[in-house]
């Protein structure tokens, strides 16, 4: 059966186009029920014995949720108790348009066989499709379609008119109006329509499900006092943005001050602009990462960013929005564009990890939840499990934030385990940083090679046999996912042949299959302390793709012919087969190079590589490449408990630099090749030059020691850093380079057809990409595919040549890399806390890295640890604290703190707040009597990597 609509549309050129939309209807769409004898279905999803212990529905029944139930109660639907659910096509389409995250979660539920969720395409069934009536809204039409489908299912499943104890259909709704229309149309004799809250409360065997109910408009926790301005409707927001009276941007809450945020406005420039928001009323219920509409305040109301650390730590003042504001005289030059949030364009809420603050009111079911992420406000929830959940890490979702509530309302999702337990805390940091860490699905594993695996004659087509070469790998200790190996040999003409051989992951991961899609979504392998979250299954990452020694492996090789001055004479790329002769650590490779008694082929190769690498590094630095510094730490773990027993900063050897130089050279060579071949769709990586304002803190720090730093170009910066010295202060140059690292922008992936600026500032290279780590980076897999097409070693596919799809992929990869970096820092912070837990109080020397209005940030080089020493100027006994932003300096009594000052501190673990345990630093030298040092919020920071290998 065919239904069609015909209408005309005016084109841009002024012509008229006739459009015909055809909608096919069928009567052979299965119902999916085991109980059905009419549908000739090959397989069924819905069970005959569909029983749930409900006081409202004592009979077997299928559930049909409407759109709002799916959107607002997805946490309930995910519970194992809820089974035998019919998801209508109408609902699925609406959810897809209204919430991508909920749609993905719903699709995941549908794919779980034990849940028995069945998708019924009611929009293409002859008896359930309905036309939209004149004057009927799209929403009302969809509600009616849901009721019609529920009616059809009830009639379809009935075996006889008198059969009232058989299988029935229950329509779940959040909407009292929808239920009323079902009653008015006389449909309730065919099926039952129940409000979702009533149904969940009727599940007597599972009372804990009530806690997972999302709070809807009809049952919000509210008070009579209006605390926040009304959000403007979307129509007014759109008109305001169009007229220029409002701007749209992403809300970024401050970690350090809960009364402050910025809104990032995407502009034509590289970084866009930021608008400062201060005060709860101006923040107006926006939550971190929401897309908001902002109205700029008059210039005379602009303020400067606060330099005070202020946490919302007090007991709930319930709905008192009046907060103590900081009184300060603002330097006019320090003021920033300031605004207020007038509306929410898009909420980006997710389930948040944290802990429950149990109410002091006896038998109260209303409690405050404190998120682990300090940028998220506390959330009010209702739960009857408070005594059980106390001391546990839990997940909570936000349902809404009424204008008369100090905090948003939400509901309990699930418990993660006891706070402070290693497995629980690791799960929290993975969830909080949105790191995909679930086990690989069977659909993904199905695309792995069958074992035992061996190289076949077909694999050797368009592939060079390099098994005879003396290839070896050099990696950190314990590395099993070996991406790269190298060789160097002298040619008959006296020149040198140098090869970088990279695991040929793209041979095993073919475009568009489930394995490829999973790797593209994960984007990167995430390295935590003592744990690795793989981007690809272990069979590939640690076995078939890993370039282990003494086994044959497929590789993608970049081979240069060089002279002894490291000048490149020829470059070629080839797919290959190699057999690595040794898997060395950096230390083992260094010992071979240094041991004059060793003169075997592997050692000769390493010495040749090391000699050339030194020349390449010198050439890079002469071109203006930056040599920055960051303190990376290594934990030594107990073999049984896996707790850290020692903490050291990593020492870099010549071999680290040797490998790094050739990886950089391979990346640059490949970048040029793929861009030459595919100017519109090459996946490249750039490092933008920092805006001049980023260097302010570096210039002030250098000036305080009478050292001149020039930042006009990368070479000027590199040269001035090289000569920056202070007599009697050998660590000064390292500190300066650490500070310079903090001034840098983030390097990002981009598609060549979507950008004109390719330059990599840190490496002083006009073009760059990532080719050398395809086991752990999906970007490298795409680059391998591009290079394979360029040299005729593989065929192309449409998405590879689509610059818009490449650009969208780059956005996901940039996000995944950023979140992986944050997760790694959080893991270092947690293991640092474990290390100090049993150490008591330690006394260490450190250097002042930053000066704040009420604190100094101190770096402890021995541990690569960074923490904050706070000074409380509100204590009446304490002397005044004077902060000079220009210095910047902090003067207490007669002592002035400046950047790079040497200090002594005590270090200990403060576990008074089990959720936010932190390293406590207290000043011991210089001694300043009369100053109270409160418990700080001083979580250690992992440092940025030095180079973009």
């Amino acid at each position: 059966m065919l239904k069609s609509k015909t209408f005309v549309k005016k084109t841009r050129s002024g012509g008229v186009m006739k459009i015909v939309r055809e909608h096919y209807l069928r009567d052979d769409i299965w119902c999916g029920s085991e109980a059905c004898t009419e549908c000739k279905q090959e397989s069924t999803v819905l069970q005959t014995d569909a029983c749930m212990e409900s006081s409202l529905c004592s009979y077997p029944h299928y559930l049909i949720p409407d759109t709002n139930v799916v959107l607002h109660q997805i946490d309930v639907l995910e519970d194992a108790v809820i089974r035998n659910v019919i998801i209508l096509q109408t609902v699925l389409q609406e959810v897809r348009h209204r919430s991508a995250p909920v749609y993905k979660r719903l699709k995941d539920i549908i794919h779980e066989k034990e849940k028995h969720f069945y998708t019924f395409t009611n929009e293409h069934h002859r008896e359930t499709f309905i036309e939209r009536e004149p004057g009927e809204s799209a929403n009302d039409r969809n509600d009616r379609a849901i009721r019609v489908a529920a009616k059809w299912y009830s009639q379809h499943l009935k075996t006889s008119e008198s059969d009232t104890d058989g299988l029935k259909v229950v329509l779940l709704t959040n909407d009292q109006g929808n239920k009323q229309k079902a009653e008015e149309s006389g449909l309730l004799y065919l099926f039952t329509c129940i409000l979702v809250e009533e149904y969940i409360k009727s599940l007597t065997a599972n009372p804990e499900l009530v806690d997972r109910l999302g709070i809807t408009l009809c049952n919000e926790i509210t008070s009579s006092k209006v605390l926040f301005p009304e959000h403007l409707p979307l129509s007014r927001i759109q008109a305001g943005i169009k007229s220029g009276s409002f701007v749209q941007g992403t809300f970024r809450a401050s970690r350090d001050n809960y009364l402050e945020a910025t809104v990032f406005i995407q502009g034509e420039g590289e970084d866009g602009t930021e608008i400062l928001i201060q005060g709860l009323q101006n923040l107006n219920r926006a939550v971190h990462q929401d897309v908001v509409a902002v109205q700029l305040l008059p210039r005379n109301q602009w303020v400067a960013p606060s330099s005070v650390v202020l946490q919302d730590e007090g007991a709930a003042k319930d709905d008192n929005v009046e907060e103590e504001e900081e009184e300060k005289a603002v330097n006019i030059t320090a003021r920033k564009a300031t605004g207020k949030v007038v509306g929410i364009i898009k909420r980006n809420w997710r389930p948040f990890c944290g802990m429950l603050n149990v109410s002091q009111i006896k038998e109260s079911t209303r409690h405050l939840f404190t998120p682990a992420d300090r940028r998220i406000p506390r959330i009010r929830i209702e739960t009857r499990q408070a005594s059980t959940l106390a001391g546990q890490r839990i997940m909570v979702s936000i349902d809404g934030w009424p204008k008369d509530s100090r905090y948003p309302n939400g509901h309990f999702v699930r418990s993660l385990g006891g706070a402070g337990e290693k497995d629980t805390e690791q799960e929290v940091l993975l969830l909080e940083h949105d790191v995909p860490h679930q086990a690989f699905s069977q659909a993904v594993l199905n695309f792995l090679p069958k074992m035992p695996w061996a190289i076949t004659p077909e694999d050797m087509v368009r592939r060079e046999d390099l098994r005879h070469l003396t290839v070896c790998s050099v990696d950190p200790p314990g590395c099993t996912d070996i991406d790269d190996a190298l060789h160097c040999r002298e040619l008959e003409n006296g020149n040198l042949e140098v090869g970088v051989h990279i695991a040929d992951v793209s041979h095993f991961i073919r475009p568009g299959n489930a394995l490829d899609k999973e790797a593209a979504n994960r984007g990167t392998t995430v390295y935590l302390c003592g744990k690795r979250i793989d981007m690809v299954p272990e069979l590939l990452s640690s076995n078939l793709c890993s370039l282990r020694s003494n086994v044959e492996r497929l590789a993608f090789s970049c081979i240069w012919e060089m002279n002894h001055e490291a000048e490149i004479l020829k470059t070629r790329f080839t797919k290959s087969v190699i057999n690595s002769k040794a898997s060395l650590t950096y230390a083992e490779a260094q010992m071979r190079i240094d041991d004059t008694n060793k003169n075997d082929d592997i050692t000769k190769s390493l010495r040749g590589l090391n000699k050339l690498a030194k020349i390449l590094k010198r050439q890079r630095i002469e071109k203006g490449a930056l040599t920055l510094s960051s303190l990376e730490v290594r934990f030594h773990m107990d073999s049984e408990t896996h707790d850290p027993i020692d903490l050291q900063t990593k020492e870099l050897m010549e071999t680290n630099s040797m490998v790094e130089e050739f990886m950089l050279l391979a990346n640059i060579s490949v970048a040029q090749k793929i861009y030459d071949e595919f100017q519109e769709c090459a996946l490249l990586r750039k490092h933008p030059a920092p805006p001049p304002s980023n260097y302010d803190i570096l210039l002030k720090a250098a000036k305080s020691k009478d050292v001149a730093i020039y930042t006009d170009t990368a070479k000027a910066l590199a040269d001035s850093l090289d000569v920056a010295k202070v007599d009697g202060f050998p660590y000064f140059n390292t500190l300066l380079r650490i500070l310079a690292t903090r001034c840098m922008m983030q390097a990002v992936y981009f598609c060549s057809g979507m950008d004109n600026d390719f330059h990599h500032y840190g490496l002083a290279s006009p073009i760059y990409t990532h080719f050398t780590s395809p086991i752990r980076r999906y970007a490298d897999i795409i680059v391998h595919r591009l290079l394979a097409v360029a040299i005729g070693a593989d065929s192309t596919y449409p998405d590879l040549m689509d610059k818009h799809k490449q650009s969208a992929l780059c956005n996901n990869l940039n996000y995944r890399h950023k979140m992986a970096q944050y997760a790694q820092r959080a893991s270092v912070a947690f293991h640092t806390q474990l290390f100090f837990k049993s150490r008591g109080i330690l006394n260490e020397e450190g250097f002042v890295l930053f000066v704040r209005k009420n604190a100094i940030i101190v770096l402890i080089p021995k541990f690569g640890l960074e923490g904050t020493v706070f000074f409380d100027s509100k204590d009446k006994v304490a002397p005044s604290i004077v902060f000079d932003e220009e210095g910047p300096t902090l003067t207490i009594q007669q002592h002035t703190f400046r950047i790079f000052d040497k200090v002594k501190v005590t270090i200990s673990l403060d576990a008074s707040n089990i959720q936010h345990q932190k390293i406590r630093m207290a000043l011991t030298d210089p001694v300043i009597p009369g100053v109270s040092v409160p418990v700080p919020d001083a979580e250690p920071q992992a440092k940025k990597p030095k180079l973009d290998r």
Side-chain angles (χ1 to χ4, degrees), residues 24 26 69 83 213 223 230 342 369 527 551 611 616 623-624 645 689 701 778 832 866 930 944:
Y24 289 87
R26 302 170 56 174
V69 169
R83 300 186 307 278
L213 277 170
S223 74
E230 188 85 61
V342 295
F369 163 84
Y527 295 90
V551 289
K611 182 182 175 183
L616 289 170
K623 289 177 185 175
I645 54 176
Y778 187 77
T832 303
E866 198 176 304
K944 294 181 180 178

Side-chain angles (χ1 to χ4, degrees), residues 107-122:
K107 292 287 284 183
D108 289 342
I109 300 172
I110 292 168
H111 289 138
E112 291 181 37
K113 289 184 178 179
E114 62 275 11
K115 289 282 286 173
H116 301 283
F117 271 53
Y118 180 68
T119 307
F120 179 63
T121 50
N122 63 304

Side-chain angles (χ1 to χ4, degrees), residues 67-88:
T67 305
N68 283 324
V69 169
V70 174
L71 285 170
H72 301 297
Q73 310 298 347
I74 189 70
D75 291 318
V76 170
L77 296 177
E78 284 177 329
D79 195 277
V81 174
I82 307 299
R83 300 186 307 278
N84 293 295
V85 177
I86 299 162
I87 301 296
L88 301 176

Side-chain angles (χ1 to χ4, degrees), residues 115 393 630 837 858 860:
K115 289 282 286 173
R393 290 280 202 173
S630 62
K837 193 172 184 178
V858 177
I860 311 296

Side-chain angles (χ1 to χ4, degrees), residues 863-894:
F863 297 126
L865 178 67
E866 198 176 304
T868 311
V869 177
F870 282 71
F871 304 110
D872 187 359
S873 61
K874 293 178 183 177
D875 189 336
K876 292 179 181 177
V877 180
S880 62
I881 296 176
V882 180
F883 175 65
D884 177 11
E885 197 168 359
E886 289 302 309
T889 61
L890 184 67
T891 302
I892 308 172
Q893 280 192 4
Q894 302 302 313

